[in-house]
Amino acid sequence: MSSRKKVAICQLRAVPNNVRANVDIMMNWMERAKAEGADLACFPELFLSDYDLERVATLSEASDGPSAQSIKAAARRLGISVTYGYSEEVKALHTAEAGVKNAACMGEAPTTTYYNSMLFIGRDGETLANFRKVHVWHTEAKHYRAGDKSVVIDWEGLKVGLAICADICMNEFVTSMVADKGAQVIVVLNALPDPPLYEKTPLILVPARALENRVYVVYADFGHEEKYSGLSRIFNPMAECLAAAKPRQEDLITAEICGNPDFPFSYHSVRRPEVYKDGGGDQPWKKPRTVE
């Protein structure tokens, strides 16, 4: 397949406390994205639950639950890839000695863990990745467990790194996906609050991640007049904005991305991670202080 792809961001307003309604909204906008010629439709962080931290237990599903099955069927029918945020429920049995065990054998009730996750589904309806947010925000910490690994997938000739909200703010996290795993595109899903301070993320940090790593960054946010900034953007590897959604409104934006742009220079060519790890050389400020 060609490494030149058209990506769509569906900047939407979700329905509170109604996962089924949000699945239906997603499928409708997947059709709209397909009509625009998009190969991939991107939806915001925790879209299926409308970023509701008060009803995590009732709005969460397994990665292969009924919502995922409906969305996979729509992707297959429309011939479009899709990625979206949802509240993931994982049930398992744990014992101190043996770890995860079979419920029938142990006779114990399973424990339930929740993750702020994103599912990436191919146009054939198959799951390509289920990524769990690594850098969980302090307001989410009592509800969601942090993921413990980065994910870069092969999607139709492109290497795509996955991120959720605060993950994009950690330059080491993004750089490791590019330098160590070969990511050419970073897709990041968000639920960015309205206060002006948070606008610095899509306006400053996101283009910086694109430029310093020489990658495309696809930044998908909610569209809401009161709750969210709605500053979805698609940046190229030179930090040029290829498409920008209308602030705080529902919108659909598209842009073409390609896998092998020609760069005059890559910052990674002079990277020295061995220095960043241990500080390099003598560090007198780390020595114990002597009290006289």
Side-chain angles (χ1 to χ4, degrees):
M1 291 187 177
S2 170
S3 63
R4 183 173 293 276
K5 299 295 177 184
K6 193 170 188 179
V7 174
I9 294 177
C10 301
Q11 180 175 284
L12 305 179
R13 181 172 185 162
V15 177
N17 197 28
N18 196 330
V19 172
R20 182 65 249 179
N22 292 327
V23 171
D24 291 340
I25 290 170
M26 271 190 61
M27 293 191 292
N28 177 266
W29 282 70
M30 287 168 64
E31 290 188 19
R32 293 180 60 176
K34 180 65 176 181
E36 294 287 329
D39 300 289
L40 171 67
C42 305
F43 293 83
E45 175 186 13
L46 291 176
F47 180 75
L48 294 190
S49 60
D50 189 34
Y51 196 85
D52 188 338
L53 299 183
E54 300 304 317
R55 300 181 180 89
V56 169
T58 58
L59 297 177
S60 298
E61 291 185 10
S63 61
D64 60 351
S67 295
Q69 296 305 321
S70 295
I71 295 165
K72 287 180 178 182
R76 191 180 304 113
R77 173 174 56 83
L78 295 169
I80 187 172
S81 298
V82 60
T83 185
Y84 64 94
Y86 75 107
S87 189
E88 182 187 4
E89 178 184 76
V90 178
K91 291 187 176 181
L93 282 172
H94 297 270
T95 64
E97 298 79 15
V100 179
K101 294 291 185 180
N102 182 279
C105 296
M106 297 295 294
E108 299 177 8
T111 59
T112 303
T113 304
Y114 300 101
Y115 295 93
N116 182 340
S117 299
M118 68 185 283
L119 208 60
F120 196 112
I121 297 168
R123 68 173 77 236
D124 59 357
E126 296 299 316
T127 297
L128 296 181
N130 183 57
F131 169 71
R132 295 165 175 167
K133 185 175 183 178
V134 171
H135 303 93
V136 172
W137 201 239
H138 64 94
T139 55
E140 302 168 350
K142 68 178 181 180
H143 305 286
Y144 292 112
R145 179 178 293 181
D148 58 7
K149 63 180 179 181
S150 63
V151 173
V152 175
I153 63 171
D154 291 304
W155 173 65
E156 300 186 2
L158 289 174
K159 292 273 192 177
V160 180
L162 307 181
I164 299 174
C165 200
D167 291 332
I168 196 67
C169 301
M170 311 301 168
N171 62 334
E172 303 99 328
F173 181 73
V174 179
T175 296
S176 69
M177 288 194 286
V178 178
D180 301 333
K181 297 185 177 182
Q184 301 160 299
V185 183
I186 305 296
V187 174
V188 53
L189 310 186
N190 303 267
L192 194 69
D194 187 53
L197 175 62
Y198 289 100
E199 293 182 358
K200 304 294 185 182
T201 299
L203 300 181
I204 297 175
L205 288 182
V206 172
R209 294 296 93 86
L211 181 64
E212 68 193 6
N213 291 289
R214 294 292 198 258
V215 290
Y216 289 90
V217 179
V218 180
Y219 181 92
D221 194 12
F222 279 91
H224 196 289
E225 297 85 351
E226 299 172 356
K227 291 174 63 177
Y228 302 106
S229 296
L231 293 172
S232 298
R233 299 281 194 277
I234 302 174
F235 291 97
N236 71 11
M238 300 302 289
E240 297 166 335
C241 186
L242 302 180
K246 300 171 185 175
R248 300 177 182 83
Q249 300 179 45
E250 291 194 328
D251 201 3
L252 190 152
I253 60 173
T254 64
E256 282 198 350
I257 61 177
C258 62
N260 297 296
D262 185 22
F263 304 130
F265 174 76
S266 168
Y267 293 112
H268 293 168
S269 65
V270 294
R271 229 176 132 244
R272 296 186 60 199
E274 74 281 0
V275 174
Y276 318 144
K277 184 176 181 180
D278 61 14
D282 190 26
Q283 298 177 345
W285 57 87
K286 287 190 174 182
K287 295 178 180 178
R289 295 180 62 186
T290 301
V291 178
E292 298 181 355

